[in-house]
Amino acid sequence: IDRNAPRDFANRALAQAGADAYLASADSREPRASPLHAALHGLPPLLVQVGEHEMLLGEAVALEERVRAAGGAVTLDLFPAQFHGWHFFGAVLSEARRAIAQAGRFLARGVRE
């Protein structure tokens, strides 16, 4: 979180506030709260898209590693120079439109299988 925080719009305090609101009084290590603490075997193929400047880059990479270690299929797409939530800016960012199109193709492949 701290390594990319200066390049992301979000920061540790914002992440902590969001986590506190989401968790209420639940334990952050609860598997239903964080997939990094869950049993990851038996999942369908996953697509993880993450920005190079995103403060959650480390968590995205760790998720990919854990899914692979559990024998799962996972695609990690790293988008250069993108920040957390860049998908929301499709009206102005070509990278967002590309990510959304890639996600659509990924989902369409799964529907056909």
Side-chain angles (χ1 to χ4, degrees), residues 19 22-23 27-41 43-44 46-48 56 58-70 74:
Y22 175 75
L23 292 168
D27 181 358
S28 65
R29 297 185 69 84
E30 161 69 38
R32 292 177 294 170
S34 171
L36 290 177
H37 303 293
L40 299 174
H41 59 279
L43 293 173
L46 298 179
L47 171 65
V48 178
L56 296 177
E59 286 76 3
V61 171
L63 178 62
E64 177 205 24
E65 292 169 353
R66 292 224 39 244
V67 170
R68 285 193 195 289
V74 59

Side-chain angles (χ1 to χ4, degrees), residues 13-105:
L14 184 61
Q16 188 63 59
D20 291 345
Y22 175 75
L23 292 168
S25 61
D27 181 358
S28 65
R29 297 185 69 84
E30 161 69 38
R32 292 177 294 170
S34 171
L36 290 177
H37 303 293
L40 299 174
H41 59 279
L43 293 173
L46 298 179
L47 171 65
V48 178
Q49 294 181 324
V50 64
E52 177 186 36
H53 292 175
E54 188 166 340
M55 68 177 202
L56 296 177
L57 173 60
E59 286 76 3
V61 171
L63 178 62
E64 177 205 24
E65 292 169 353
R66 292 224 39 244
V67 170
R68 285 193 195 289
V74 59
T75 301
L76 178 68
D77 283 340
L78 178 63
F79 284 78
Q82 295 309 304
F83 50 90
H84 185 74
W86 86 96
H87 295 79
F88 291 115
F89 299 94
V92 295
L93 286 178
S94 62
E95 295 87 348
R97 292 188 296 277
R98 186 168 58 87
I100 293 166
Q102 281 181 225
R105 288 189 297 274

